[in-house]
Each structure stands twice: as structure tokens, then as C-alpha cells.
Amino acid sequence: GQDGRFAGSGGVNRLMGGYTRQGDSLSFAQVASTMMAGPPEAMRQEQVIVTALGLVRGFDVDGDRLTLVDDSGTTVVTAVAVALR
């Protein structure tokens, strides 16, 4: 949204927080999640996502692919849009 807030799912828990965007510069702050338990693999995945969001300093959109990068331009997260039914 345009309000500087984001929300989504890490697979088990809801993730939320703030973001700042200026041009192709992007950063996330105050990332929080609900505290539900899930399978160990899913919980590890969520921790990787939360950690990666803290490293994000920029982004690129190419078709249905969103790439989040750190301050050196190294990819920290790649996401692909999918239609939910």
C-alpha cells in the first residue's frame, strides 16, 4: 500500500511492518509476526524471510518476478506472483 505498511504471510504466520520506498530504493522496518507454531522447516523458512527483509535496500520488478536486493545489489529474496484461486 501507499501508507508505508506491509502485511503478508511467511507460510505459517502473518508478517507485518513498515517500509520506505524512494525510486528503486526500498527498506523494511519493525518487521513483526504472529507467534503460531508450525513444522520446523516452515518456521526456519519464516526466520530466513524476516532476516532477509532486514537486509533489503532495493528492488527490481521483471514481469511476475520481484527481486529484493541488499546494499551491494546482491539478491536476498526472489518472489514470483501467482494467481490464488
Side-chain angles (χ1 to χ4, degrees):
Q2 299 298 320
D3 64 354
R5 306 287 306 156
F6 77 92
S9 172
V12 176
N13 290 285
R14 298 278 301 155
L15 304 176
M16 72 267 334
Y19 72 89
T20 302
R21 176 183 173 210
Q22 288 187 327
D24 61 355
S25 182
L26 175 69
S27 62
F28 293 92
Q30 299 174 330
V31 178
S33 73
T34 55
M35 301 293 288
M36 296 173 58
E41 184 175 314
M43 299 306 293
R44 283 190 297 274
Q45 173 182 297
E46 284 190 348
Q47 187 56 49
V48 168
I49 292 168
V50 170
T51 299
L53 290 177
L55 300 173
V56 171
R57 297 296 177 265
F59 72 98
D60 179 61
V61 176
D62 184 13
D64 63 354
R65 185 175 304 270
L66 168 67
T67 303
L68 302 177
V69 298
D70 65 13
D71 56 1
S72 69
T74 301
T75 298
V76 294
V77 174
T78 300
V80 178
V82 295
L84 299 176
R85 298 172 204 218

